[in-house]
Amino acid sequence: MTVANTGIASRASDDFSADDPLNLLIIEDEALVAMLVEDALTLHGHRVIGIADTVAAAITLAETERPDLALCDVKLAEGDSGLTAAQLLAERGIPCVFLSGNCPERGGHPLVIGCIAKPFRAGSLGAAVRAALRVARGELPSDPPAALKLYGEGR
């Protein structure tokens, strides 16, 4: 199990405004991809609270850091499934977006918001993350980016 913690404490999600940086969890088993995603998100002003490559590592980080949203690959290290990680995080009230070359057809939980297909443009991640969080809060994003496929379950 690999857990990388950036040491930045999470804030309460209820304090979110359109310009506030979000505390994000990346669940990705390929280190280079995880670093590219982290770089893209920090360039958009967000904070990455940690990177996990297994379900157990993701749950550990989520319980200690309480991210505003998680970006999750479908296939993880040690044969783990990102579908399981997203479901467990959603059950804990943490919205998830898949970031995968194998986007599932559905999320299986209202807080599993959608999927951004790999390969993706780094510039589209910031808008996709904000749109996904708005959807998780029951709002309608004014102009969701084309890169984000929304599931619409439970809404």
Side-chain angles (χ1 to χ4, degrees):
M1 167 174 69
T2 302
V3 177
N5 187 320
T6 60
I8 299 172
S10 182
R11 61 169 165 66
S13 293
D14 294 339
D15 297 335
F16 168 78
S17 79
D19 296 325
D20 287 343
L22 302 176
N23 294 318
L24 304 171
L25 171 61
I26 298 171
I27 308 168
E28 169 65 61
D29 64 328
E30 294 183 39
L32 184 56
V33 173
M35 289 188 307
L36 291 171
V37 172
E38 180 178 24
D39 286 348
L41 294 170
T42 56
L43 284 173
H44 285 283
H46 302 301
R47 293 183 291 254
V48 174
I49 56 99
I51 298 171
D53 65 352
T54 64
V55 172
I59 298 306
T60 298
L61 274 170
E63 288 177 348
T64 58
E65 298 296 330
R66 198 69 191 158
D68 296 312
L69 185 124
L71 292 124
C72 186
D73 192 5
V74 172
K75 295 180 183 178
L76 302 175
E78 299 177 14
D80 278 1
S81 169
L83 301 171
T84 301
Q87 182 71 30
L88 291 172
L89 292 171
E91 289 171 1
R92 289 167 170 77
I94 299 168
C96 297
V97 172
F98 291 114
L99 185 59
S100 179
N102 303 299
C103 284
E105 289 300 312
R106 53 187 305 271
H109 189 286
L111 286 179
V112 180
I113 305 302
C115 187
I116 301 167
K118 291 179 187 173
F120 58 88
R121 292 183 46 231
S124 66
L125 280 182
V129 163
R130 290 218 180 268
L133 193 58
R134 283 187 187 94
V135 170
R137 293 177 177 194
E139 302 170 20
L140 292 175
S142 58
D143 189 20
L148 176 62
K149 173 190 170 189
L150 295 171
Y151 293 136
E153 296 171 18
R155 284 181 278 289

